[in-house]
């Protein structure tokens, strides 16, 4: 049984006071959702603060990005060893906002994935197609290229400690969610791609859905056989909304167990 994960990507939001309140509310609210894994992704500058608030809880912390080199003259960047050192377990890699706004190409995303795995961080590899690509019928080709580059450059074994997030670009921050059937079809395709390289890893790897996930429609998404949780943006900035999604995941996990 794969354990459902609900991850909150706070992106570039929040000042210390809000981060304090949000983290505290989430930490207190999730204590009854013992069946699932909850991970928060604050901005770099808030990682220590969030980490300190979460000690002795089951909630984990991850970073939104890393630089591939372990150290050096890379002004403004943050390395994998630095993240491990302050207690991060996860790191987002290849988020579409970084692929598009900061021109992160397939090779850079693979290098980041490799750097994460090398220091024991668990990468959450984000993949997804744009609206135009979907309309041209290129969804599977785009996803396959994004996944295959990782397998070719980093090796399929790296996926043993990774999570994949399917985030259709047209669903991010738009209020448009993929239907459970649309998402399931892509998730099954991703699992099939991994299975072509390693069946055991394909069965074990968690594939999250991301893109305008909200509490009121999370349940049917989470009930799909190849959807193993959610990577939540906007709704993770509101403790009640985020906790309501965690509740749905907890309920779904109880049905599996
Ligand atoms: P929204 O939930 O705001 O659409 O963001 C999704 C996302 O990009 C998570 O990484």
């Amino acid at each position: 049984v794969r354990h459902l994960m609900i991850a909150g990507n706070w992106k570039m939001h929040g000042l210390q006071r809000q981060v304090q309140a949000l983290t505290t509310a989430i930490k207190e609210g999730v204590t009854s959702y013992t069946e699932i894994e909850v991970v928060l992704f604050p901005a770099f500058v808030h990682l220590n603060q969030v980490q300190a608030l979460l000690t002795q809880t089951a909630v984990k912390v991850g970073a939104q990005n890393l630089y591939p080199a372990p150290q050096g003259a890379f002004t403004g960047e943050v390395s994998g060893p630095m993240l491990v050192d302050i207690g991060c377990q996860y790191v987002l890699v290849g988020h579409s906002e970084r692929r598009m706004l900061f021109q992160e190409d397939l090779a850079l995303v693979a290098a980041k994935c490799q750097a994460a795995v090398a220091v024991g961080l668990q990468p959450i590899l984000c993949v997804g197609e744009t609206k135009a690509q979907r309309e041209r019928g290129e969804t599977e080709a785009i996803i396959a290229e994004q996944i295959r580059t990782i397998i070719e450059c980093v090796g399929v074994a790296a996926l043993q400690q990774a999570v994949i997030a399917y985030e259709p670009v047209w669903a991010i921050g738009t209020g448009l969610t993929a239907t459970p059937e649309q998402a399931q079809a892509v998730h099954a395709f991703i699992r099939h791609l991994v299975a072509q390289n390693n069946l055991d890893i394909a069965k074990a790897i968690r594939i999250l859905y991301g893109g305008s996930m909200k509490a009121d429609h999370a349940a049917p998404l989470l009930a799909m056989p190849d959807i193993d949780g959610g990577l939540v943006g906007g709704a993770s900035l509101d403790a009640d909304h985020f906790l309501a999604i965690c509740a749905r995941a907890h309920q779904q996990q109880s049905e599996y167990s």
Side-chain angles (χ1 to χ4, degrees), residues 118-178:
V119 291
L121 283 167
Q122 294 176 258
I124 298 191
L125 172 68
C126 305
V127 298
E129 81 289 359
T130 64
K131 183 167 181 279
Q133 288 164 339
R134 174 164 281 263
E135 285 168 357
R136 289 199 298 266
E138 295 170 0
T139 299
E140 292 196 350
I142 293 294
I143 304 282
E145 186 182 40
Q146 291 170 339
I147 303 271
R148 284 202 184 111
T149 313
I150 299 300
I151 294 175
E152 279 162 23
C153 300
V154 193
V156 70
L159 294 181
Q160 240 161 344
Q161 68 184 76
V163 174
I164 295 174
Y166 170 54
E167 299 206 299
V169 177
W170 48 271
I172 295 178
T174 57
L176 292 172
T177 317

Side-chain angles (χ1 to χ4, degrees), residues 7-11 92 95-97 126 165 167-168 171-176 209-214 231-236:
N9 176 8
W10 292 351
K11 306 190 180 183
L92 301 183
H95 194 281
S96 62
E97 285 153 16
C126 305
E167 299 206 299
I172 295 178
T174 57
L176 292 172
Y209 168 79
S212 300
M213 190 185 251
K214 306 278 184 266
L231 180 52
V232 185
S236 72

